[in-house]
Amino acid sequence: QVQLVESGGGLVQPGGSLRLSCTASGSIFSIYAMGWYRQAPGKQRELVAQIISGGTTNYADSVKGRFTISRDNAKNTVYLQMNSLKPEDTAVYYCNIVATGAYWGKGTLVTVSS
């Protein structure tokens, strides 16, 4: 059984920063991609950032230049550094890992508000 544990969400003022972490544990092999999605109230879940084995990264246009995704393969951990946060970044952020199957974390709430 695979478990994804996310941490790092919270309340931050506009212009602030947060760092999300997600660690995978259990019987997980051959991780192909690790990423973050988010879902705001009343909206569909959307891809925020993804890092594929080999290091290729993809970002949503709305976060390019502000968010950075990275991974630690030895720890099966993916990070999302979020800078210059805006109120429209408010959402539940979900970790996603694609290996022999696709796995999701339970989500961590990020609220950007003054």
Side-chain angles (χ1 to χ4, degrees):
Q1 187 174 359
V2 175
Q3 286 187 325
L4 304 184
V5 178
E6 300 138 326
S7 62
L11 173 64
V12 63
Q13 292 186 342
S17 299
L18 283 175
R19 188 192 194 207
L20 305 183
S21 300
C22 171
T23 299
S25 62
S27 300
I28 186 165
F29 304 98
S30 300
I31 294 176
Y32 170 70
M34 306 177 81
W36 292 92
Y37 288 69
R38 68 186 180 188
Q39 187 166 18
K43 295 188 177 181
Q44 290 187 330
R45 190 174 298 190
E46 62 175 357
L47 174 68
V48 176
Q50 186 181 56
I51 183 165
I52 301 172
S53 60
T56 300
T57 56
N58 298 306
Y59 293 94
D61 287 343
S62 59
V63 307
K64 284 180 180 177
R66 299 188 297 123
F67 291 10
T68 303
I69 190 169
S70 60
R71 61 188 284 182
D72 184 331
N73 292 330
K75 296 180 179 180
N76 281 345
T77 298
V78 61
Y79 305 96
L80 185 68
Q81 178 66 44
M82 306 186 293
N83 299 328
S84 302
L85 282 160
K86 304 175 181 180
E88 50 263 44
D89 294 318
T90 295
V92 178
Y93 284 70
Y94 296 91
C95 176
N96 169 261
I97 289 181
V98 178
T100 52
Y103 305 95
W104 292 91
K106 294 182 178 180
T108 184
L109 177 62
V110 172
T111 303
V112 185
S113 175
S114 55

